[in-house]
Coordinates of all heavy atoms in Angstrom, one line a residue:
F37 N 80.6 44.5 55.3 CA 81.1 43.8 56.5 C 80.3 42.5 56.7 O 80.8 41.5 57.0 CB 81.1 44.7 57.7 CG 82.2 45.7 57.6 CD1 82.1 46.9 57.0 CD2 83.4 45.4 58.3 CE1 83.2 47.8 56.9 CE2 84.5 46.3 58.2 CZ 84.3 47.5 57.6
L38 N 79.0 42.6 56.6 CA 78.1 41.5 56.9 C 78.3 40.3 55.8 O 78.2 39.2 56.1 CB 76.6 41.9 56.9 CG 76.2 42.8 58.1 CD1 74.8 43.2 58.0 CD2 76.4 42.1 59.4
A39 N 78.5 40.7 54.6 CA 78.8 39.7 53.6 C 80.1 39.0 53.9 O 80.2 37.8 53.7 CB 78.8 40.4 52.2
C40 N 81.1 39.7 54.3 CA 82.3 39.0 54.7 C 82.1 38.2 55.9 O 82.8 37.1 56.1 CB 83.5 40.0 55.0 SG 84.4 40.5 53.5
A41 N 81.3 38.6 56.8 CA 81.1 37.7 58.0 C 80.4 36.4 57.7 O 80.6 35.5 58.5 CB 80.1 38.5 59.0
R42 N 79.7 36.4 56.6 CA 79.0 35.0 56.1 C 80.0 34.2 55.3 O 79.8 33.1 55.0 CB 77.9 35.3 55.3 CG 76.7 35.9 56.1 CD 75.4 35.9 55.3 NE 75.6 36.8 54.1 CZ 75.4 38.1 54.0 NH1 74.9 38.8 55.1 NH2 75.5 38.9 52.9
A43 N 81.2 34.7 55.1 CA 82.2 34.0 54.2 C 83.2 33.3 55.1 O 83.0 33.0 56.2 CB 82.8 35.0 53.2
R44 N 84.3 33.0 54.4 CA 85.5 32.2 55.1 C 86.1 33.1 56.2 O 86.2 34.3 56.0 CB 86.5 31.8 54.1 CG 86.0 31.0 53.0 CD 87.1 30.7 52.0 NE 86.6 30.0 50.9 CZ 87.3 29.9 49.7 NH1 88.6 30.4 49.6 NH2 86.8 29.2 48.8
R45 N 86.7 32.4 57.2 CA 87.4 33.2 58.2 C 88.6 32.3 58.7 O 88.6 31.1 58.5 CB 86.5 33.6 59.3 CG 86.1 32.4 60.2 CD 85.1 32.9 61.2 NE 83.8 33.2 60.4 CZ 82.9 33.9 60.9 NH1 82.8 34.2 62.1 NH2 81.8 34.1 60.1
Q46 N 89.7 33.1 59.1 CA 90.8 32.4 59.6 C 91.3 33.1 60.9 O 91.4 34.3 60.9 CB 92.0 32.5 58.5 CG 93.2 31.8 58.9 CD 92.9 30.3 59.1 OE1 92.2 29.7 58.2 NE2 93.5 29.7 60.1
H47 N 91.4 32.4 61.9 CA 91.8 32.9 63.2 C 93.3 32.9 63.4 O 93.9 31.9 63.1 CB 91.1 32.1 64.4 CG 89.6 32.1 64.2 ND1 88.8 33.1 64.9 CD2 88.8 31.3 63.6 CE1 87.6 32.9 64.7 NE2 87.5 31.8 63.8
T48 N 93.9 33.9 63.9 CA 95.3 34.0 64.4 C 95.2 34.5 65.8 O 94.3 35.1 66.3 CB 96.0 34.9 63.4 OG1 95.5 36.3 63.8 CG2 95.9 34.6 62.0
P49 N 96.4 34.4 66.5 CA 96.4 34.8 67.8 C 96.2 36.3 68.0 O 95.7 36.8 69.0 CB 97.8 34.4 68.4 CG 98.2 33.3 67.5 CD 97.5 33.6 66.2
G50 N 96.7 37.1 67.0 CA 96.5 38.5 67.1 C 95.3 39.2 66.5 O 94.9 40.2 66.9
F51 N 94.6 38.5 65.6 CA 93.4 39.1 65.0 C 92.7 38.0 64.2 O 93.1 36.8 64.2 CB 93.8 40.2 64.0 CG 94.9 39.8 63.0 CD1 94.4 39.2 61.8 CD2 96.2 39.9 63.3 CE1 95.4 38.9 60.9 CE2 97.2 39.6 62.4 CZ 96.8 39.1 61.1
V52 N 91.6 38.3 63.7 CA 90.7 37.3 62.9 C 90.7 38.0 61.5 O 90.5 39.2 61.3 CB 89.3 37.2 63.4 CG1 88.5 36.2 62.5 CG2 89.4 36.5 64.8
V53 N 90.8 37.2 60.4 CA 90.6 37.7 59.0 C 89.4 37.0 58.4 O 89.3 35.7 58.5 CB 91.9 37.3 58.2 CG1 91.7 37.8 56.8 CG2 93.1 37.9 58.9
Q54 N 88.6 37.7 57.8 CA 87.4 37.3 57.1 C 87.6 37.7 55.7 O 88.1 38.7 55.4 CB 86.1 37.8 57.6 CG 85.8 37.5 59.0 CD 84.5 38.2 59.5 OE1 84.2 39.3 58.9 NE2 83.9 37.7 60.6
G55 N 87.3 36.7 54.7 CA 87.6 37.0 53.3 C 86.5 36.3 52.5 O 86.0 35.3 52.7
R56 N 86.2 37.0 51.4 CA 85.3 36.5 50.4 C 85.7 37.0 49.0 O 86.1 38.1 48.8 CB 83.8 36.9 50.7 CG 83.5 38.3 50.4 CD 82.0 38.6 50.6 NE 81.6 39.9 50.2 CZ 80.9 40.2 49.1 NH1 80.4 39.2 48.4 NH2 80.7 41.4 48.8
K57 N 85.4 36.2 48.0 CA 85.6 36.5 46.7 C 84.4 37.2 46.1 O 83.3 36.7 46.1 CB 85.9 35.3 45.8 CG 86.4 35.6 44.4 CD 86.8 34.4 43.7 CE 87.3 34.8 42.3 NZ 87.9 33.6 41.6
R58 N 84.5 38.5 45.6 CA 83.5 39.2 45.0 C 83.3 39.0 43.5 O 82.2 38.7 43.1 CB 83.7 40.7 45.2 CG 82.8 41.5 46.1 CD 83.1 42.9 46.3 NE 84.0 43.6 45.3 CZ 85.3 43.9 45.4 NH1 85.9 43.4 46.6 NH2 86.0 44.5 44.5
G59 N 84.3 39.1 42.8 CA 84.3 39.0 41.3 C 85.7 39.2 40.7 O 86.5 39.8 41.3
E60 N 85.8 38.8 39.5 CA 87.0 38.9 38.8 C 87.3 40.3 38.3 O 86.3 41.1 37.9 CB 87.0 38.0 37.6 CG 87.1 36.5 38.0 CD 88.3 36.0 38.7 OE1 89.4 36.6 38.4 OE2 88.1 35.1 39.5
G61 N 88.6 40.8 38.4 CA 88.9 42.1 37.8 C 88.5 43.3 38.6 O 88.7 44.4 38.1
E62 N 87.9 43.1 39.8 CA 87.6 44.2 40.7 C 88.7 44.5 41.6 O 89.7 43.7 41.9 CB 86.3 43.9 41.5 CG 85.1 43.6 40.5 CD 83.8 43.4 41.3 OE1 83.8 43.9 42.5 OE2 82.9 42.8 40.8
A63 N 88.7 45.7 42.3 CA 89.7 46.0 43.2 C 89.6 45.2 44.5 O 88.6 44.8 44.9 CB 89.6 47.5 43.4
L64 N 90.8 45.0 45.1 CA 90.9 44.4 46.4 C 90.4 45.5 47.4 O 90.7 46.6 47.4 CB 92.3 44.1 46.7 CG 92.8 43.4 47.9 CD1 94.0 42.5 47.6 CD2 93.0 44.3 49.0
R65 N 89.5 45.0 48.3 CA 88.9 45.8 49.4 C 89.2 45.3 50.7 O 89.4 44.1 51.0 CB 87.4 45.9 49.2 CG 87.0 46.6 47.9 CD 85.5 47.0 47.9 NE 84.6 45.9 48.3 CZ 83.3 46.1 48.4 NH1 82.8 47.3 48.0 NH2 82.6 45.1 48.8
V66 N 89.3 46.2 51.7 CA 89.7 45.8 53.1 C 88.9 46.6 54.0 O 88.6 47.8 53.8 CB 91.2 45.9 53.3 CG1 91.7 47.3 53.2 CG2 91.6 45.3 54.7
G67 N 88.5 46.0 55.2 CA 87.8 46.7 56.2 C 88.4 46.3 57.6 O 89.1 45.3 57.7
F68 N 88.3 47.2 58.6 CA 88.8 46.9 59.9 C 87.7 47.2 60.9 O 87.0 48.1 60.8 CB 89.9 48.0 60.1 CG 91.0 48.0 59.0 CD1 90.9 48.9 58.0 CD2 92.0 47.1 58.9 CE1 91.7 49.0 56.9 CE2 92.9 47.1 57.9 CZ 92.8 48.0 56.9
T69 N 87.8 46.4 62.0 CA 86.9 46.5 63.0 C 87.4 46.0 64.4 O 88.3 45.1 64.4 CB 85.5 45.9 62.7 OG1 84.6 46.2 63.7 CG2 85.6 44.4 62.6
C70 N 87.0 46.6 65.4 CA 87.3 46.2 66.8 C 86.1 46.4 67.7 O 85.5 47.5 67.7 CB 88.5 47.0 67.4 SG 90.1 46.6 66.6
S71 N 85.8 45.4 68.5 CA 84.6 45.6 69.3 C 85.0 46.2 70.6 O 86.3 46.4 70.8 CB 84.0 44.1 69.6 OG 84.8 43.4 70.5
K72 N 84.1 46.4 71.5 CA 84.4 47.1 72.7 C 85.2 46.1 73.7 O 85.7 46.5 74.8 CB 83.1 47.5 73.5 CG 82.6 48.8 72.8 CD 81.5 49.4 73.6 CE 80.9 50.7 73.0 NZ 79.9 51.4 73.8
K73 N 85.2 44.8 73.4 CA 86.0 43.8 74.1 C 87.5 44.2 74.1 O 88.2 43.9 75.0 CB 85.8 42.5 73.6 CG 84.5 41.8 73.8 CD 84.4 40.4 73.3 CE 83.1 39.9 73.4 NZ 83.0 38.6 72.8
V74 N 87.9 44.9 73.0 CA 89.3 45.3 72.9 C 89.7 46.3 73.9 O 90.8 46.3 74.4 CB 89.6 45.8 71.4 CG1 91.0 46.3 71.2 CG2 89.3 44.6 70.4
G75 N 88.8 47.1 74.2 CA 89.1 48.1 75.3 C 88.3 49.4 75.0 O 87.3 49.5 74.3
N76 N 88.8 50.5 75.6 CA 88.1 51.8 75.5 C 88.5 52.3 74.0 O 89.2 51.7 73.2 CB 88.6 52.8 76.5 CG 90.1 53.0 76.5 OD1 90.8 52.7 75.7 ND2 90.5 53.8 77.5
A77 N 88.0 53.5 73.7 CA 88.3 54.1 72.3 C 89.6 54.2 71.9 O 90.1 54.0 70.8 CB 87.5 55.4 72.3
V78 N 90.5 54.5 72.9 CA 92.0 54.7 72.6 C 92.6 53.4 72.3 O 93.3 53.3 71.2 CB 92.7 55.3 73.9 CG1 94.2 55.3 73.7 CG2 92.2 56.7 74.2
A79 N 92.2 52.3 73.0 CA 92.8 51.0 72.7 C 92.2 50.5 71.4 O 92.9 49.8 70.6 CB 92.4 50.0 73.9
R80 N 90.9 50.7 71.1 CA 90.4 50.3 69.8 C 91.0 51.0 68.7 O 91.3 50.3 67.6 CB 88.8 50.5 69.8 CG 88.1 49.6 70.7 CD 86.6 49.6 70.4 NE 86.0 50.9 70.5 CZ 85.5 51.5 71.5 NH1 85.6 50.9 72.7 NH2 85.0 52.6 71.4
N81 N 91.2 52.3 68.8 CA 91.9 53.0 67.7 C 93.4 52.6 67.4 O 93.8 52.5 66.3 CB 91.8 54.5 67.9 CG 90.4 55.0 67.7 OD1 89.6 54.5 66.9 ND2 90.0 56.1 68.4
R82 N 94.0 52.3 68.5 CA 95.4 51.8 68.4 C 95.4 50.5 67.7 O 96.2 50.2 66.8 CB 96.0 51.7 69.7 CG 97.5 51.1 69.7 CD 98.3 51.4 70.9 NE 99.7 51.2 70.6 CZ 100.4 50.1 71.1 NH1 99.8 49.4 72.1 NH2 101.6 50.1 70.9
A83 N 94.5 49.6 68.1 CA 94.5 48.3 67.4 C 94.1 48.4 66.0 O 94.7 47.7 65.1 CB 93.4 47.4 68.2
K84 N 93.2 49.2 65.6 CA 92.9 49.5 64.2 C 94.0 50.1 63.4 O 94.2 49.8 62.2 CB 91.6 50.3 64.1 CG 90.3 49.5 64.4 CD 89.1 50.3 64.0 CE 88.7 51.2 65.1 NZ 87.5 51.9 64.9
R85 N 94.8 51.0 64.0 CA 95.9 51.6 63.3 C 97.0 50.5 63.0 O 97.5 50.5 62.0 CB 96.5 52.6 64.2 CG 95.9 54.0 64.2 CD 96.8 55.1 64.7 NE 97.3 54.8 66.1 CZ 96.7 55.1 67.2 NH1 95.5 55.8 67.1 NH2 97.3 54.9 68.4
R86 N 97.2 49.6 64.0 CA 98.1 48.5 63.7 C 97.6 47.5 62.6 O 98.4 47.1 61.8 CB 98.3 47.7 65.0 CG 99.0 48.6 66.1 CD 99.5 47.8 67.2 NE 100.8 47.2 66.8 CZ 101.3 46.1 67.3 NH1 100.6 45.4 68.2 NH2 102.5 45.7 66.9
L87 N 96.3 47.3 62.6 CA 95.7 46.4 61.5 C 95.8 47.2 60.2 O 96.1 46.4 59.2 CB 94.3 46.0 61.8 CG 94.0 45.2 63.1 CD1 92.5 45.1 63.3 CD2 94.7 43.8 62.8
R88 N 95.7 48.4 60.1 CA 95.9 49.1 58.9 C 97.2 49.0 58.3 O 97.4 48.9 57.2 CB 95.4 50.6 59.1 CG 93.9 50.8 59.0 CD 93.5 52.3 58.8 NE 93.9 53.1 60.0 CZ 93.1 53.3 61.0 NH1 91.9 52.8 61.0 NH2 93.5 54.1 62.0
E89 N 98.2 49.2 59.2 CA 99.5 49.2 58.8 C 100.0 47.8 58.3 O 100.7 47.6 57.4 CB 100.5 49.6 60.0 CG 100.6 51.1 60.2 CD 101.0 51.8 58.9 OE1 102.0 51.4 58.3 OE2 100.3 52.8 58.5
I90 N 99.4 46.7 59.0 CA 99.7 45.4 58.5 C 99.1 45.1 57.1 O 99.7 44.6 56.3 CB 99.2 44.4 59.6 CG1 100.1 44.4 60.9 CG2 99.2 42.9 59.0 CD1 99.4 43.8 62.0
A91 N 97.9 45.6 57.0 CA 97.2 45.5 55.7 C 98.0 46.2 54.6 O 98.2 45.7 53.5 CB 95.8 46.1 55.7
R92 N 98.5 47.4 54.9 CA 99.3 48.2 53.9 C 100.6 47.4 53.4 O 100.9 47.5 52.3 CB 99.7 49.5 54.5 CG 98.6 50.5 54.3 CD 99.1 51.9 54.8 NE 98.1 52.9 54.9 CZ 97.7 53.4 56.0 NH1 98.3 53.2 57.2 NH2 96.6 54.3 56.1
A93 N 101.1 46.7 54.4 CA 102.4 46.0 54.1 C 102.2 44.7 53.5 O 103.0 44.3 52.6 CB 103.1 45.8 55.4

Side-chain angles (χ1 to χ4, degrees):
F37 283 87
L38 292 176
C40 271
R42 291 187 299 268
R44 300 176 187 168
R45 71 190 66 194
Q46 186 63 44
H47 300 270
T48 68
F51 53 90
V52 176
V53 181
Q54 296 173 337
R56 76 177 184 107
K57 187 173 182 177
R58 242 181 22 259
E60 295 294 328
E62 296 183 27
L64 184 148
R65 297 191 313 177
V66 63
F68 309 95
T69 185
C70 290
S71 72
K72 287 190 177 182
K73 289 180 187 179
V74 174
N76 63 8
V78 174
R80 290 194 305 272
N81 286 332
R82 179 165 193 242
K84 285 190 279 189
R85 279 195 308 270
R86 295 192 84 208
L87 292 175
R88 279 193 295 270
E89 283 303 313
I90 291 167
R92 280 188 188 115

